[in-house]
Amino acid sequence: TRRQAADSGSDEPARDELTVAREAKYREIRDAELDYRTGKLSREDYDAIDGALRAEAISILDRIESLERDGLGPGTLEQDDRENEEQDREEDGPAI
């Protein structure tokens, strides 16, 4: 309906902000993992930081899911995830 279309449009900036936040949180998780693997973080510090970052990521994902349930619809975020996974694989590949 017309109202649903208007509501979905008004959720778009919120979804965009959450998508940016999700990607930033994923980057923080990867950075913490790298810091641990390179010895910059102890196991205890890494576990604490990783747990907190993952809890924050789950909260962001829950908010995104809520927007999708409320009318934004799935698909766009799933496509974003696939594209980001491909980019991560390219970044994690061997240096040439």
Side-chain angles (χ1 to χ4, degrees):
T1 66
R2 199 174 246 192
R3 181 159 203 256
Q4 286 173 327
D7 289 345
S8 294
S10 65
D11 287 341
E12 194 69 27
R15 184 184 84 55
D16 290 346
E17 288 177 23
L18 288 171
T19 300
V20 169
R22 177 191 64 191
E23 294 312 310
K25 198 56 59 182
Y26 287 169
R27 201 168 23 259
E28 288 180 64
I29 291 169
R30 287 191 302 268
D31 288 348
E33 184 176 308
L34 180 62
D35 286 348
Y36 170 67
R37 288 189 303 189
T38 59
K40 294 179 182 177
L41 287 175
S42 69
R43 181 64 187 193
E44 296 79 22
D45 289 342
Y46 169 72
D47 287 343
I49 290 169
D50 184 64
L53 291 173
R54 288 179 186 272
E56 292 169 12
I58 288 170
S59 174
I60 293 168
L61 292 172
D62 287 343
R63 290 166 53 202
I64 290 171
E65 186 177 301
S66 175
L67 282 177
E68 288 178 350
R69 269 194 317 266
D70 292 343
L72 211 59
T76 305
L77 293 175
E78 292 166 359
Q79 178 65 29
D80 289 348
D81 284 341
R82 282 193 296 277
E83 290 171 3
N84 290 325
E85 287 172 7
E86 289 175 18
Q87 183 180 8
D88 288 344
R89 280 193 296 274
E90 291 171 6
E91 291 173 0
D92 291 340
I96 299 176

